[in-house]
Amino acid sequence: MLELINLHKTFAPGTVNAHVALDGVSLHLAPGEFATVIGSNGAGKSTLFNAICGSFLCDRGRIRLGGQDITFLPEHKRALQIGRVFQDPMKGTAPGMTIEENMALAYTRSHSGPFSMALSRKKYNLFRDALARYDMGLEDRMKTRVGLLSGGQRQVVTLLMCTLVTPKLLLLDEHTAALDPATAERVMALTNQIVSENAITTLMITHNIRSALTTGTRTIMMDMGKIILDVSGEERARMSLDSLMKLYSEKKREELDNDRMLFG
């Protein structure tokens, strides 16, 4: 489904501020696979997501999605196939628009083009039913401006906007990190439900190693723009937090001392 082939990206090349952000990243995700991505700050996780979304073009390498080469496809065209939920609940929605307007915008972008914002009864019922499934009362607040919602409510709306029309790929960029623990747990449960029911190919960035070992089916660790660990199957199922830390230390040759990555 997703294939990354030898991706390289250096920012400000040839200057004293040159920074190698991606250093030969290769990755293959099968259809419906759910992989978590961990690594310390600056490891290249969000840069990898930006490369996949087309926020910039890589210096070298290829990106294929669903059999299509999207290496040079513009960002707005990739957005028709890729859903992304950011860490900041303020991103991904139009705060001045209502819930139903935001959902209509996301839906019609994939179905009818940008000039079909009229909300038919059929669409209204579709959106209302989708919201009602997650038992947060949002189906009764469809006329509410998204900017008035709590962070958790907004993340749920964003998640539904990204998956109402099933994307080829879903990118979750620490989408629960800014929420309180109880809300984060609820949003994560909803995420797992949506991904499982729709068999969505998913990559999720997290700083929490415990979450990375219990969410999805595969754990990928990045460091200095490279993938240094990739575990799945029985190896992952048997892996404890301590054994993952040890394996990381062996690959990195230094102790893992980033508290946020351990307990965030």
Side-chain angles (χ1 to χ4, degrees):
M1 174 56 73
L2 175 68
E3 189 175 10
L4 310 178
I5 306 170
N6 196 31
L7 296 185
H8 289 261
K9 181 63 180 180
T10 299
F11 293 105
T15 74
V16 294
N17 296 317
H19 172 64
V20 178
L22 297 176
D23 189 5
V25 173
S26 293
L27 175 67
H28 179 269
L29 283 184
E33 192 167 13
F34 187 168
T36 55
V37 183
I38 54 176
S40 57
N41 292 332
K45 306 180 301 298
S46 290
T47 302
L48 179 64
F49 275 24
N50 288 335
I52 294 170
C53 288
S55 300
F56 55 78
L57 296 180
C58 290
D59 301 327
R60 301 204 310 274
R62 312 295 294 184
I63 302 173
R64 295 193 179 101
L65 181 61
Q68 176 189 5
D69 191 326
I70 64 169
T71 306
F72 301 105
L73 196 69
E75 184 174 12
H76 70 278
K77 291 188 176 180
R78 297 192 202 190
L80 300 178
Q81 307 177 60
I82 301 172
R84 185 174 183 178
V85 185
F86 294 87
Q87 176 180 342
D88 184 355
M90 299 296 287
K91 291 184 177 181
T93 55
M97 297 171 65
T98 66
I99 293 175
E100 65 181 18
E101 289 170 341
N102 271 274
M103 296 189 74
L105 184 63
Y107 184 81
T108 56
R109 183 179 61 184
S110 297
H111 275 73
S112 312
F115 302 108
S116 301
M117 280 292 295
L119 188 62
S120 66
R121 174 56 58 179
K122 182 179 179 181
K123 288 180 185 177
Y124 179 87
N125 289 336
L126 174 67
F127 303 157
R128 196 178 194 285
D129 291 345
L131 290 166
R133 293 189 61 204
Y134 302 106
D135 195 28
M136 296 187 73
L138 292 172
E139 69 276 13
D140 297 320
R141 301 185 63 188
M142 290 181 61
K143 300 291 185 183
T144 301
R145 296 184 185 279
V146 170
L148 299 178
L149 301 178
S150 68
Q153 291 171 330
R154 182 178 288 211
Q155 289 296 65
V156 170
V157 171
T158 305
L159 184 60
L160 288 175
M161 287 172 62
C162 289
T163 57
L164 193 61
V165 178
T166 304
K168 289 184 178 179
L169 177 67
L170 179 62
L171 301 179
L172 304 171
D173 195 346
E174 293 193 80
H175 70 306
T176 63
L179 307 178
D180 66 82
T183 303
E185 184 176 349
R186 188 170 189 181
V187 170
M188 195 63 246
L190 294 177
T191 301
N192 285 322
Q193 182 181 344
I194 291 171
V195 169
S196 176
E197 288 178 352
N198 297 282
I200 303 173
T201 307
T202 304
L203 276 173
M204 183 183 82
I205 293 175
T206 179
H207 271 87
N208 190 320
I209 292 184
R210 289 188 176 90
S211 177
L213 283 176
T214 57
T215 303
T217 58
R218 184 174 172 185
T219 300
I220 294 164
M221 182 176 282
M222 294 188 68
D223 184 70
M224 297 182 69
K226 298 179 180 180
I227 293 176
I228 62 171
L229 286 175
D230 187 348
V231 293
S232 58
E234 287 298 319
E235 181 184 13
R236 183 179 187 260
R238 294 193 304 266
M239 188 167 286
S240 65
L241 176 62
D242 288 342
S243 61
L244 181 59
M245 290 170 60
K246 181 180 179 181
L247 190 56
Y248 171 87
S249 297
E250 290 173 354
K251 294 283 186 179
K252 181 90 166 95
R253 296 185 179 179
E254 67 181 42
E255 292 299 319
L256 181 61
D257 60 0
N258 187 321
D259 288 345
R260 183 166 178 244
M261 193 165 79
L262 288 173
F263 306 113

